[in-house]
Structure formats: structure tokens, C-alpha cells
Amino acid sequence: MNDNNEKKPKLGLALSGGGYRAAAFHLGVFRKLKQLNILERIDVISTISGGSIAGAYYVMNKDDFNEFEKSFTTNLQKSCVWRILLNYRFWLPILVFSLIVCFLVSNPFDLNLPVWLVVSIICALIISPLFFQFQIVSFTALKIKAYRKIFFNDSVLADLPDQPVLAINSTNLSTGTLWTFSKKKTSDSCYEFPKDGGESIRFKCDDFSIAVAVASSSSVPVPFNPVKIPVRYFVNAEDFKRVTPMLIDGGLYDNQGVHKLTQSNSSYTCDVIIVSDGSQPFSSKFWAYSTPFILYRGIDVMMRKIKNLQFIRDVYGRSKEIAYFSLDWKYNLCVVEFVNAAKKGMVPNNVLLHHGLTPEVLQKPFAELNEMMRTKIKFQEVVNDALTDSQIEKISRIGTNLTALKLKQIELLSKHGEILTELQIKLYCPTLNCK
């Protein structure tokens, strides 16, 4: 326990991207943190993509946890994808295109247009989406409409609670860094120290739609267009001529949501951090039969590199208590990896001392230390009624999109999130004094 003169450690929760699958996984994290009496103590929730759906929905409904859990489970069974595909604004351009092509080919009024002109018009119609896709149809606008209908209605940033602080992160294509929406501060650090040497560029986003903020955090490149910040959200309207924020999926910069919580110069930095990672596990198997598949694989490789560098620098260090866990993890390996990290000096000293892992104790055989930690955290009690390895592999293969989940999938994902949360907190964040 800290004495009264010591500063209370700031507690952060990072929720990764990964579509509805990650959101269901994070639901279990919220449930376990509630059971451990930790949820109400969280100071900052930093979110990315699917984690932004879960984080924003939680903070807007946090005063009644049972209702939050029930309604969120129901909403994850409603498909954003189908709401987009069935919207008339999606089908109208296709219908218009089809009618024009049919008209040109059938030539009902005997226009006798030269073949070269007909072919040129049809080619122009086919090629135009490559250059004007987002002017023809904005998938992001359709997603925002679906988010409003399913999750957020007309809520705005000013409606967010003061505690915990919610930081919704997007990637700003204009600066190559993170743009963060929160109740009291919305900006990109690059705009606080602009390259043109001018005054800091500030934004006033009290009435900015939460649905739009979450959409910007979860707009995967190619199908979804970037979210732009209208001039009315600039404190100084003249700054609209200086910069043009273009916001896309936050996962391109930090898919785990941990960056803002670990940076010492960030207003969201925390001392103790829980990282729930429901993102796509990196697989050795992939399709390589066309350019789109190779481009998609390239994005996966880039995000894997960012994650590895981030973890080397921030997560697997000794400066903070950080409980990280990933969707595809098996329970037994949690203790094994903790013991490995402890022996390699990659666990903070206060955590080692809490577990009684003195330098002398760490010299004991690996198997003995492994059994010691399993006993200390009551491993068997935690994993009682746990998922099997095959179930874990099965839920890890669920797509990272916005397609409706089945109730059984939600139950398995959230149950898995519960168990991993308790294991990793007991191992890596024992000072939280969870029961």
C-alpha cells in the first residue's frame, strides 16, 4: 500500500483494434476488471478501432454495468457490414452505372454512336472509381450512420464522463502520427509544434460526434475514406488553411492502443497499464495470388514491426507495471513466459519483490519457479471452466471485421478475455491488490 504522502499510481487500460471480435474480447476484460474491483479505478482508456467501439460504449453506459454488458452483447449481434451494403447510397451508383452501360450497349434510340465512343465511355465509368471512389460513395459515411444506429445515437464528445478519460486514437495521414479525440483535448501532437513555426493549432470538439470519432479510429484503408475535420472545429478558423487532418484507422500507427499510455510526454501517460490485444494474430499462411493480397500482407508485416518495436521499448521493460495479453494466448504459457521474463530481468523490481522473487530465488530451477508462481496466483482456480486450446484457436480465426457475431462466439471471446485478464494482472500488476 502507498502511504498518504505518495502519489496515487495512474491506471490505464489499452484496448486494441480487431473489429467486433476484439470488442467482444474486451467485453470480457471489462467484466473481469469489474469483478476484481479495478474497473472503477481506471484513469485512462486508450482505444484503437474495434477497441474504440467497446471503450466508447462502456464509458457512455458505465453507470449501469449490467445494462452495458447486456446491451453491448445484443449490439454485437447486429451487423454494421449489412447496414452499409443494404443502404441505398451503396446501391445507387451501381444501379446508375448498370443503366448507363445497358443503354449504351442496347442503343434503344438508335443513336448510332461509334463503337470507340461507347467503349471509351464504358472504360471511363469503370476507371472513375479508382480516382473518385470516395466522391461516388463514402463507405465511412455509411459506417458512421450504422454506428449511430447500433451504438452511439447522437452522442458527442462533451457527453463523455470526466472519469475515466477516454482517448480515441486515429492515424493522421497528414502528419503520420496519432490524432486523439477526448473530452477535454482533441489534437495531434504535431499540431502543437507545427513545422511552419507558427502558433499551435488547436481544436474545439465538444459537439463532435462520438460515432464519427470511432469511425475515424476504425476506418481501414482502401474501402473506407479518411475522416476530415471541418473548419468549425478549429479554434482559429485561419488554421484551416494551414493543415488538413485526414484521419484513418489508428491501427496503422499503434494497433494495441498502448502508445499514448506509455509516453512520458503524453497527457494520457499512466504508471500501471493493462493491455488487451484482440487484434489479428500474425500467421505464416497467406494468399499470394494477386496484388491486393500482397498489399494486405504488407500492411500486416508493417503493423507487426511497429508492435515489436513498441513492445521492446515500452512493454517489456522495467519502468512500469504492464499486464499485456493477446487473443491467441494459451493459459499455461502465461506463467511460463512470466518466469522467463523474470529470469531475464524483464520484470520491474517491485513486481518481483511482491512475488518474493529475490535474486536468490530466481536461481532456482525453472520448473520449481513455474510451480511456485502457479500456486501463488491460484492458477487452477483462475482457469476453472476455461476454453480449450481448440476453442482458442477457433475464436482466433474469427474475422476482424464488423460482421455480426453469434452469441456463442461472444460468450467464448469474452470468457477468454476474462481469464487472461486475471492471470496477467496477478502476474504483472500485483500492486493492484486484486482479490
Side-chain angles (χ1 to χ4, degrees):
M1 296 291 291
N2 297 330
D3 53 47
N4 294 331
N5 293 325
E6 290 184 356
K7 183 181 177 182
K8 175 180 173 287
K10 196 173 177 183
L11 177 58
L13 172 63
L15 302 177
S16 78
Y20 272 14
R21 185 188 70 180
F25 183 66
H26 301 325
L27 174 61
V29 177
F30 283 123
R31 186 186 300 138
K32 180 52 65 174
L33 293 176
K34 179 72 173 177
Q35 293 171 3
L36 297 175
N37 297 315
I38 294 174
L39 188 56
E40 291 77 9
R41 294 155 54 189
I42 291 176
D43 297 292
V44 182
I45 301 178
S46 174
T47 66
I48 299 288
S49 197
S52 295
I53 298 173
Y57 195 81
Y58 164 70
V59 299
M60 293 300 296
N61 297 275
K62 71 183 185 69
D63 293 334
D64 187 341
F65 188 84
N66 289 334
E67 179 57 30
F68 153 71
E69 186 176 11
K70 179 181 177 182
S71 60
F72 195 54
T73 299
T74 298
N75 291 340
L76 288 177
Q77 297 175 69
K78 301 174 182 177
S79 174
C80 271
V81 172
W82 278 112
R83 286 183 180 272
I84 291 172
L85 295 180
L86 295 178
N87 190 289
Y88 79 92
R89 285 186 289 180
F90 172 80
W91 286 104
L92 185 59
I94 298 175
L95 179 61
V96 171
F97 170 83
S98 301
L99 289 175
I100 293 174
V101 171
C102 288
F103 177 85
L104 291 172
V105 172
S106 61
N107 193 20
F109 301 117
D110 296 323
L111 297 177
N112 294 319
L113 296 174
V115 174
W116 68 266
L117 180 58
V118 173
V119 172
S120 297
I121 294 174
I122 293 176
C123 288
L125 290 172
I126 294 173
I127 294 173
S128 59
L130 296 176
F131 298 94
F132 307 104
Q133 175 188 340
F134 303 140
Q135 284 70 35
I136 296 171
V137 56
S138 169
F139 287 105
T140 298
L142 299 182
K143 177 192 282 189
I144 290 168
K145 186 175 181 180
Y147 278 175
R148 284 196 173 109
K149 185 71 174 179
I150 298 173
F151 297 106
F152 306 114
N153 299 314
D154 294 320
S155 299
V156 296
L157 294 181
D159 296 326
L160 293 172
D162 293 326
Q163 178 75 14
V165 172
L166 177 67
I168 302 172
N169 298 293
S170 304
T171 301
N172 187 352
L173 293 178
S174 297
T175 63
T177 54
L178 283 181
W179 169 287
T180 305
F181 290 100
S182 65
K183 181 176 182 178
K184 295 182 179 179
K185 179 183 179 182
T186 295
S187 187
D188 178 325
S189 59
C190 288
Y191 295 151
E192 296 179 18
F193 307 96
K195 291 184 177 180
D196 62 9
E199 293 292 323
S200 295
I201 301 166
R202 304 195 180 281
F203 304 84
K204 49 181 181 180
C205 293
D206 287 359
D207 63 341
F208 198 90
S209 166
I210 291 177
V212 178
V214 173
S216 74
S217 178
S218 58
S219 290
V220 179
V222 181
F224 294 103
N225 51 292
V227 169
K228 298 180 180 180
I229 304 298
V231 63
R232 67 189 183 93
Y233 293 109
F234 285 71
V235 171
N236 181 357
E238 290 300 311
D239 288 337
F240 186 71
K241 301 175 183 177
R242 295 170 62 193
V243 298
T244 306
M246 302 276 284
L247 311 181
I248 207 74
D249 195 295
L252 291 182
Y253 192 91
D254 166 29
N255 201 37
Q256 282 61 52
V258 72
H259 179 79
K260 288 291 183 179
L261 300 180
T262 56
Q263 301 307 295
S264 59
N265 60 345
S266 167
S267 56
Y268 307 100
T269 189
C270 290
D271 306 296
V272 181
I273 302 169
I274 301 163
V275 185
S276 174
D277 187 357
S279 61
Q280 185 74 42
F282 192 82
S283 173
S284 60
K285 298 178 180 179
F286 65 98
W287 284 78
Y289 302 117
S290 67
T291 298
F293 291 113
I294 295 299
L295 288 174
Y296 185 80
R297 181 64 172 184
I299 293 174
D300 277 350
V301 172
M302 178 190 69
M303 292 173 67
R304 177 179 172 83
K305 179 182 178 181
I306 293 170
K307 177 179 176 179
N308 289 343
L309 291 174
Q310 200 169 53
F311 275 42
I312 291 169
R313 184 184 62 191
D314 300 321
V315 176
Y316 296 127
R318 303 184 64 182
S319 60
K320 298 176 184 285
E321 291 182 49
I322 300 181
Y324 167 84
F325 47 90
S326 180
L327 175 71
D328 60 336
W329 281 15
K330 309 296 195 303
Y331 309 120
N332 286 324
L333 291 179
C334 290
V335 181
V336 170
E337 291 303 322
F338 174 81
V339 175
N340 273 327
K343 277 184 161 293
K344 293 177 181 178
M346 299 169 64
V347 176
N349 284 329
N350 64 314
V351 175
L352 295 176
L353 291 175
H354 184 93
H355 290 309
L357 296 174
T358 63
E360 294 75 23
V361 173
L362 286 173
Q363 297 303 312
K364 293 183 177 181
F366 184 93
E368 185 176 340
L369 287 173
N370 188 62
E371 190 57 37
M372 170 186 163
M373 290 308 305
R374 287 169 65 99
T375 301
K376 187 173 183 63
I377 67 171
K378 299 180 180 178
F379 178 83
Q380 287 304 135
E381 290 183 19
V382 177
V383 300
N384 184 42
D385 194 31
L387 276 67
T388 63
D389 287 356
S390 62
Q391 286 177 317
I392 294 173
E393 291 171 3
K394 185 175 181 180
I395 62 173
S396 296
R397 292 195 297 269
I398 296 173
T400 55
N401 50 48
L402 302 175
T403 303
L405 296 175
K406 297 178 181 178
L407 180 58
K408 183 63 176 177
Q409 291 176 314
I410 298 172
E411 290 173 345
L412 289 173
L413 284 161
S414 60
K415 180 67 176 178
H416 190 44
E418 280 189 77
I419 296 170
L420 288 175
T421 300
E422 184 168 2
L423 284 176
Q424 293 301 91
I425 287 177
K426 284 186 171 182
L427 289 169
Y428 289 90
C429 297
T431 59
L432 290 178
N433 295 318
C434 54
K435 297 180 180 179

